[in-house]
Amino acid sequence: MTFMEKLSAAWKTNNSLVCVGLDPDRKKLPAGVLSLPHPIFAFNKAIIDATHQDVCCYKPQAAYYAGQGADDELLMTMEYLRSSYPEIPVILDAKRADIGNTTKMYAMEAFDRYGADAVTVNPYMGMDALKPFLDYAEKGVVVLCRTSNAGAKEIQELKLEDGSFLYQRVAQLISGPWNYNHNTMLVAGATFPQELGEIRRIVGSTPLLVPGIGAQGGDLEGVLKHGLTADGTGLVINSSRGIIYASSGDDFAEKAGMACRALKEAINAHR
Amino acid sequence: MTFMEKLSAAWKTNNSLVCVGLDPDRKKLPAGVLSLPHPIFAFNKAIIDATHQDVCCYKPQAAYYAGQGADDELLMTMEYLRSSYPEIPVILDAKRADIGNTTKMYAMEAFDRYGADAVTVNPYMGMDALKPFLDYAEKGVVVLCRTSNAGAKEIQELKLEDGSFLYQRVAQLISGPWNYNHNTMLVAGATFPQELGEIRRIVGSTPLLVPGIGAQGGDLEGVLKHGLTADGTGLVINSSRGIIYASSGDDFAEKAGMACRALKEAINAHR
């Protein structure tokens, strides 16, 4: 199954648009987990076991593993997901891009080393810098378009000579010429639901990865109003801190499961 | 010493603007190296020992280590550089950017885990996504502006409503508001010397990292004509394949040393 097929199936089977972001910070892990031999993996495993029936996707954030020297625990997490819940697609959030030869190495990192179903990438260098990712037709390539951070507008809302914004041009490219293998998605932050609606108009039914719900203060109702496709899907709504740190005690997994179900239901109430 | 002070000193001491890109691909390593216990590190070490008197900088490309599962050999390379040649600055070529919390983890990766003096980053998400890097005042932050790949123009030469190109606006930001700690540099590809000259006019004496010489076919004379600052420096001219693969035999290090010196001399003939 391709990434897109897996995603469509998971949307339906779990009746959920929720993606859980696996961004484990050692400083925030419960004491009971920190004493285990692979605390980051143990934390992820417990979160995954508690949420897998209510998600359409998982999204490990590469920076947390790279910054903490925990590449092995990312690998363990990816292997656990693949063996225990092969029906749930996994997006490695890495935001990579480089010249062709080098991007091939990043594609190997995401798809061969870690076995991700999809990866996030950065559009600034143009399509040839992303081609080694895009050429994996069965994998998903999630390209930054309008990100959820406040400073995103500094570049992404620069006005072009035809009066459009840069992020709109980028949306056209991602869903048009860059989508030659029908495997692209776009990142559109929940903190800017109007812009997310603009993107939806441009890209048709191309799926959107939506960060910014929860700790970042995104507007869930606005996201659904502007972002859902006609069949009530088309969105992968990520929550990281709001779910994985729902409790800082030893009941963290149970509370994460509850927070994930609550988000799924809050979303489904508007579908 | 800050990165910028180290770079200025290395330009002068070694009388060189050459940066050697450490992009080791296992498939291209000489047979004699492949039989050693840490072949990538052994290869890098030999290249470094043969070139250290003729460079202003080294630039390991993170993708090669990530894609080949060789994080430990990147660490060994960084530690070797720091202990043996502490006067030569090292740029980790990673092209990172993410939202603030996450970028902090990438800054930890580059500066704490690997001990790099500088890191390359991507401007698409705006300044707040780069702030955790920029806040390390003693470190260098090398921001993509006009990259060396053919497809770069697809985004970087989009025309803004005031008639300027996107890369020109990005150059203003990098050398202006983003340079609050006087620690930024810009990436300007050797394959577009005219655009590199435009960037030089915009950024004053802010140093440029110039990839694209050698295998990518960049125009060395054009780069020097358009890119040198008044004191004959201001450029960090990278060559990877042209130096590290100067020979595929067991004389690779000797030939790398010769190729590095030849490039240094070809550059100095025009300074």
Side-chain angles (χ1 to χ4, degrees):
Chain A
M1 274 213 292
T2 67
F3 166 74
M4 289 297 177
E5 290 164 349
K6 258 174 120 163
L7 178 61
S8 292
W11 273 332
K12 194 175 283 187
T13 308
N14 281 350
N15 188 30
S16 176
L17 305 182
V18 176
C19 174
V20 174
L22 299 170
D23 308 4
D25 182 342
R26 276 203 195 99
K27 291 192 187 129
K28 293 186 184 171
L29 298 190
V33 167
L34 274 175
S35 59
L36 298 173
H38 296 288
I40 286 178
F41 170 65
F43 180 76
N44 285 347
K45 179 176 177 300
I47 297 279
I48 292 163
D49 289 339
T51 55
H52 70 96
Q53 291 183 307
D54 298 299
V55 300
C56 65
C57 201
Y58 288 104
K59 183 174 73 63
Q61 168 51 260
Y64 281 81
Y65 306 88
Q68 298 176 103
D71 317 270
D72 57 333
E73 297 187 77
L74 173 57
L75 197 60
M76 292 165 76
T77 301
M78 298 298 286
E79 283 170 354
Y80 182 71
L81 282 164
R82 202 158 48 246
S83 61
S84 300
Y85 307 108
E87 71 283 5
I88 309 284
V90 182
I91 301 172
L92 182 65
D93 196 355
K95 300 188 175 67
R96 304 291 195 244
D98 212 299
I99 65 166
N101 277 320
T102 303
T103 296
K104 269 185 205 161
M105 286 284 169
Y106 278 134
M108 282 170 56
E109 178 194 25
F111 299 141
D112 301 332
R113 180 176 180 190
Y114 290 116
D117 298 294
V119 64
T120 60
V121 302
N122 186 308
Y124 187 72
M125 295 179 70
M127 189 186 84
D128 63 358
L130 305 180
K131 198 168 176 301
F133 292 113
L134 296 166
D135 283 347
Y136 280 76
E138 78 283 13
K139 301 291 189 179
V141 183
V142 188
V143 191
L144 299 183
C145 182
R146 182 61 175 88
T147 57
S148 60
N149 56 313
K153 63 177 181 297
E154 199 175 7
I155 303 289
Q156 295 161 30
E157 288 191 9
L158 286 173
K159 232 180 192 177
L160 304 183
E161 59 175 349
D162 66 0
S164 66
F165 291 117
L166 175 60
Y167 79 87
Q168 295 171 322
R169 179 67 62 93
V170 169
Q172 286 168 3
L173 291 168
I174 300 170
S175 59
W178 298 6
N179 198 19
Y180 56 86
N181 269 328
H182 308 288
N183 62 347
T184 64
M185 282 180 61
L186 300 87
V187 172
T191 40
F192 305 96
Q194 297 290 340
E195 287 82 350
L196 188 146
E198 283 297 320
I199 292 171
R200 173 58 72 210
R201 273 188 283 283
I202 294 167
V203 305
S205 61
T206 307
L208 308 182
L209 171 62
V210 183
I213 286 290
Q216 293 181 59
D219 165 14
L220 183 58
E221 207 173 323
V223 165
L224 294 163
K225 183 179 160 203
H226 296 290
L228 285 172
T229 49
D231 67 350
T233 65
L235 298 173
V236 174
I237 300 177
N238 185 73
S239 174
S240 301
R241 286 167 279 178
I243 291 176
I244 68 175
Y245 302 131
S247 159
S248 60
D250 286 339
D251 61 347
F252 71 95
E254 187 194 341
K255 289 288 164 60
M258 290 168 62
C260 183
R261 268 190 299 286
L263 178 57
K264 164 179 155 174
E265 284 161 16
I267 292 170
N268 288 350
H270 295 283
R271 285 169 74 192
Chain B
M1 273 214 291
T2 67
F3 165 74
M4 289 296 177
E5 290 165 348
K6 258 174 120 164
L7 178 60
S8 292
W11 273 332
K12 195 174 282 186
T13 308
N14 282 351
N15 188 30
S16 177
L17 305 183
V18 176
C19 174
V20 174
L22 299 171
D23 307 4
D25 182 342
R26 277 203 195 100
K27 290 191 187 129
K28 294 187 184 170
L29 299 190
V33 168
L34 274 176
S35 59
L36 298 172
H38 295 288
I40 287 178
F41 171 65
F43 180 76
N44 285 346
K45 179 176 178 302
I47 298 279
I48 292 163
D49 288 339
T51 56
H52 71 96
Q53 291 182 306
D54 297 300
V55 301
C56 65
C57 200
Y58 287 104
K59 182 174 75 62
Q61 168 50 259
Y64 282 81
Y65 305 89
Q68 299 177 100
D71 317 271
D72 57 332
E73 297 188 77
L74 174 56
L75 197 60
M76 290 166 77
T77 302
M78 298 299 286
E79 282 170 354
Y80 182 71
L81 281 164
R82 201 158 49 246
S83 60
S84 300
Y85 307 108
E87 69 283 4
I88 308 284
V90 182
I91 301 172
L92 182 65
D93 196 354
K95 301 190 174 67
R96 304 290 195 242
D98 213 299
I99 64 165
N101 276 319
T102 302
T103 296
K104 269 186 205 160
M105 286 284 168
Y106 278 134
M108 281 170 56
E109 179 194 24
F111 299 142
D112 301 332
R113 180 177 179 188
Y114 290 116
D117 297 294
V119 64
T120 60
V121 301
N122 187 309
Y124 187 72
M125 296 180 67
M127 189 185 87
D128 62 359
L130 304 180
K131 198 168 176 301
F133 292 113
L134 296 166
D135 284 347
Y136 279 76
E138 78 283 13
K139 302 291 189 180
V141 183
V142 187
V143 192
L144 299 183
C145 182
R146 182 64 176 84
T147 57
S148 60
N149 55 314
K153 63 177 182 298
E154 200 175 8
I155 303 289
Q156 295 161 30
E157 288 190 8
L158 286 173
K159 232 180 192 177
L160 304 183
E161 59 175 349
D162 67 0
S164 66
F165 290 118
L166 175 60
Y167 78 88
Q168 296 171 322
R169 179 67 62 91
V170 169
Q172 286 168 2
L173 291 168
I174 299 169
S175 60
W178 298 6
N179 198 18
Y180 57 87
N181 268 329
H182 307 288
N183 62 346
T184 65
M185 281 180 63
L186 299 87
V187 172
T191 40
F192 305 96
Q194 298 290 342
E195 288 81 351
L196 188 146
E198 283 297 320
I199 293 170
R200 173 57 73 211
R201 273 188 283 284
I202 294 167
V203 306
S205 60
T206 307
L208 308 182
L209 171 63
V210 184
I213 287 290
Q216 294 182 58
D219 165 14
L220 183 58
E221 205 173 325
V223 165
L224 294 163
K225 182 178 160 204
H226 295 290
L228 286 172
T229 49
D231 67 350
T233 66
L235 298 174
V236 173
I237 299 176
N238 186 73
S239 175
S240 301
R241 288 168 277 176
I243 292 175
I244 67 176
Y245 302 132
S247 160
S248 59
D250 286 339
D251 61 346
F252 72 95
E254 187 194 341
K255 289 287 163 60
M258 288 168 63
C260 183
R261 268 188 301 284
L263 178 57
K264 163 179 155 174
E265 283 161 16
I267 291 169
N268 287 351
H270 295 281
R271 286 170 72 192

